[in-house]
Amino acid sequence: WSLWLPSNHIFLLLSVLVSAVYCIFARRRVTKGIKHLQKIISEIPAMQLWVMVVFFLLIMSSGLWVEGAWDSIFYHYQNIRWIEEYSVVPGLGNLDDRYGFNSNYMLLSAVFSFRYFFGEGLYTLHILFILILGLWVIRRLFSTGDKWQSLVLLAAFALFFFFSLRSLFDTSTDLLPNMIIFYLVAKFAVYPPVAKQNVLLYTLPLVLLVTCKLSLFFVCFFGIYILISLMKGKNYKAISFILVAAVLILVPWMIRNVILSGYLVYHVYQVDLFAFDWKIPREVAILQNTYIYDIGQHFLKAVFAPDDSHFSYPLWQRMLIMAIYILAALSLLLSIFYIIRTKVKDKA
């Protein structure tokens, strides 16, 4: 759609119309789903319901004092407005090379900005996802028998929420992918067999994450593991569906990359396949690549090796960030351990 037309309220309304037509033709399935949802809500204990209401009010009131993020003001708002007003513009990255960062998060934000209805952009995706994630954590806390596991999950979510607060009511190409990763890792941690029982959940969202934030390409290795498992089980139907769906996600994204910047994936200047006249100069791509590397080193040093030459977080904040890095590393090691142990059991 965005290759030919702007992505804004028109696309949103057409999507709603298509969904309404589907609901009419599949009304039995829709009615069954609504009744199932009503049953779940009616069975929620009063105490749990009150906790959910308090969490909702906490999220809504957080927007009263949260400041804006630097990247949002610097180029996110402008990029999203370009997407709302125009189809993909050849060489847009030459105005500012950050416009060459083709994040699908920007596309989603443009569609759901509601600018036409309210006169200014509202960036609501983070709120929606953090509410869903938080309600899932609260549900786990009250419904599972393993309270220690649930408390650890709640503590991890509280940390995640605290460090996400600044971008929660603003734009961020990091926060939405991070929320999805948090959910996938948490769900795998509380119930490891879910990765094999719901292969779509642990494959296609990983591909979508890469189109939102290129630096998350490493998460696709877990999806490759799932595909190898499916191949060993000779489940070629599922493999074919996943691969075709992944291609349908990646190919339009790469086409937008080429149109915006002249590169298959900007800022990866090493993959230089095209010679369009709107192409961002190679020197600019090299500088951007160097900046991204340096800024990552800058924030790592601010946590692990602070000194007078680097921005430094307060001690308590550095300790929390270190805890997050350690927990992330432990979760990766535990996942690898579980995979190896499962293989050993299967052979036995």
Side-chain angles (χ1 to χ4, degrees):
W1 176 281
S2 66
L3 298 178
W4 300 281
L5 295 168
S7 299
N8 48 31
H9 61 282
I10 296 176
F11 178 79
L12 178 62
L13 291 175
L14 286 175
S15 300
V16 171
L17 180 61
V18 171
S19 300
V21 172
Y22 171 79
C23 290
I24 292 172
F25 284 96
R27 52 186 175 275
R28 290 184 179 179
R29 179 179 294 183
V30 174
T31 302
K32 184 179 179 181
I34 292 174
K35 288 182 178 179
H36 179 67
L37 182 62
Q38 288 175 337
K39 182 181 178 182
I40 292 175
I41 295 174
S42 64
E43 293 175 353
I44 296 177
M47 182 62 182
Q48 182 178 337
L49 191 61
W50 275 109
V51 172
M52 289 180 173
V53 171
V54 170
F55 173 70
F56 175 80
L57 294 176
L58 174 65
I59 294 292
M60 293 297 103
S61 60
S62 298
L64 296 176
W65 69 83
V66 175
E67 61 180 282
W70 164 258
D71 285 345
S72 302
I73 300 169
F74 188 37
Y75 72 96
H76 288 182
Y77 296 158
Q78 298 90 325
N79 204 333
I80 291 171
R81 191 63 182 268
W82 274 99
I83 295 171
E84 291 179 54
E85 299 291 336
Y86 306 98
S87 60
V88 60
V89 178
L92 182 62
N94 287 286
L95 291 182
D96 187 306
D97 77 300
R98 288 172 177 82
Y99 294 163
F101 293 155
N102 178 31
S103 172
N104 273 343
Y105 166 77
M106 301 288 190
L107 274 174
L108 287 172
S109 295
V111 172
F112 291 97
S113 72
F114 304 106
R115 192 184 306 274
Y116 177 80
F117 304 102
F118 298 102
E120 61 178 292
L122 301 178
Y123 307 107
T124 56
L125 289 176
H126 294 154
I127 303 301
L128 174 63
F129 276 82
I130 201 73
L131 279 172
I132 294 173
L133 187 58
L135 293 176
W136 176 74
V137 171
I138 294 170
R139 183 75 171 161
R140 286 285 313 175
L141 181 64
F142 281 88
S143 61
T144 184
D146 192 342
K147 295 301 179 185
W148 283 109
Q149 185 186 74
S150 298
L151 288 173
V152 170
L153 178 61
L154 181 63
F157 175 76
L159 274 175
F160 180 83
F161 175 76
F162 175 78
F163 283 102
S164 304
L165 195 57
R166 186 179 180 185
S167 301
L168 200 57
F169 286 81
D170 215 329
T171 59
S172 171
T173 54
D174 299 301
L175 187 50
L176 182 61
N178 287 343
M179 281 191 279
I180 295 174
I181 290 176
F182 181 93
Y183 173 74
L184 294 176
V185 171
K187 197 168 182 65
F188 180 80
V190 299
Y191 185 62
V194 71
K196 290 187 176 181
Q197 294 175 2
N198 196 340
V199 294
L200 290 182
L201 182 64
Y202 282 86
T203 50
L204 293 182
L206 303 184
V207 177
L208 183 61
L209 288 178
V210 175
T211 66
C212 290
K213 190 71 175 179
L214 185 61
S215 58
L216 296 176
F217 73 94
F218 65 90
V219 301
C220 288
F221 289 113
F222 190 81
I224 293 172
Y225 166 76
I226 298 294
L227 289 176
I228 293 173
S229 300
L230 290 173
M231 196 175 295
K232 288 181 178 179
K234 297 182 178 181
N235 192 346
Y236 300 118
K237 184 178 180 181
I239 293 172
S240 300
F241 179 83
I242 291 169
L243 291 177
V244 170
V247 168
L248 291 175
I249 293 172
L250 288 174
V251 169
W253 176 69
M254 289 182 177
I255 293 173
R256 277 185 57 88
N257 282 334
V258 174
I259 297 174
L260 287 169
S261 66
Y263 292 90
L264 193 64
V265 179
Y266 185 76
H267 52 92
V268 185
Y269 63 89
Q270 295 87 345
V271 183
D272 193 353
L273 305 177
F274 307 99
F276 298 111
D277 57 359
W278 66 74
K279 186 176 182 178
I280 295 176
R282 181 182 176 88
E283 294 77 13
V284 175
I286 292 173
L287 285 173
Q288 185 59 246
N289 194 66
T290 303
Y291 170 77
I292 291 172
Y293 176 80
D294 287 345
I295 200 68
Q297 291 291 312
H298 172 81
F299 283 108
L300 278 175
K301 288 178 180 178
V303 175
F304 292 101
D307 55 43
D308 294 337
S309 61
H310 292 91
F311 163 76
S312 178
Y313 294 105
L315 177 62
W316 65 271
Q317 199 167 354
R318 295 208 311 270
M319 296 298 291
L320 284 177
I321 296 174
M322 285 181 187
I324 291 173
Y325 280 123
I326 292 170
L327 289 173
L330 285 175
S331 66
L332 178 62
L333 292 174
L334 289 173
S335 298
I336 295 172
F337 171 75
Y338 171 79
I339 291 170
I340 295 173
R341 190 183 68 174
T342 303
K343 283 188 175 181
V344 171
K345 284 185 176 181
D346 291 341
K347 289 181 179 178

